[in-house]
Amino acid sequence: MDLLTFELGKDSDELFIHGDPSGLRRLSKLLDSLAEAADRGEFPHAHLFAAEWGGEELSSKEQEEGHRCLPHVKVFGWPDSSGAKPYQPN
């Protein structure tokens, strides 16, 4: 399995992303795919899960002592810099 973790730092104010070359390339391809869909005016999203959440996209072993791995990461793509604001129901 590739190495790819999203970890919260000890004070939870920082996000750390750790990946081996294969994991980082997989993340890059996912981000490119979401960007292409957003360029077409779509509202794409993708889920990344660790094994304990039923997936295989994320690693579960923290890479830095005291950090906490996130078992679920959801990535959104938006057609413009307004982000989610104009697309949320009132």
Side-chain angles (χ1 to χ4, degrees), residues 4-52:
L4 183 61
T5 66
F6 288 75
E7 301 178 17
L8 290 178
K10 293 177 184 177
D11 60 8
S12 296
D13 287 338
E14 291 182 278
L15 174 67
F16 295 81
I17 301 172
H18 296 271
D20 64 4
S22 182
L24 292 172
R25 283 187 188 98
R26 192 167 35 86
L27 178 59
S28 175
K29 287 178 187 176
L30 171 68
L31 295 175
D32 282 342
S33 172
L34 293 174
E36 289 172 7
D39 277 340
R40 295 189 299 269
E42 299 171 18
F43 306 94
H45 73 277
H47 297 265
L48 302 171
F49 294 106
E52 61 269 19

Side-chain angles (χ1 to χ4, degrees), residues 21-88:
S22 182
L24 292 172
R25 283 187 188 98
R26 192 167 35 86
L27 178 59
S28 175
K29 287 178 187 176
L30 171 68
L31 295 175
D32 282 342
S33 172
L34 293 174
E36 289 172 7
D39 277 340
R40 295 189 299 269
E42 299 171 18
F43 306 94
H45 73 277
H47 297 265
L48 302 171
F49 294 106
E52 61 269 19
W53 279 51
E56 56 184 32
E57 299 86 11
L58 297 176
S59 309
S60 297
K61 186 173 190 306
E62 66 274 349
Q63 299 300 301
E64 295 191 45
E65 189 174 325
H67 285 193
R68 182 173 63 92
C69 285
L70 298 174
H72 177 204
V73 173
K74 190 171 183 180
V75 184
F76 292 90
W78 301 109
D80 59 48
S81 62
S82 299
K85 300 288 186 206
Y87 309 106
Q88 294 177 353

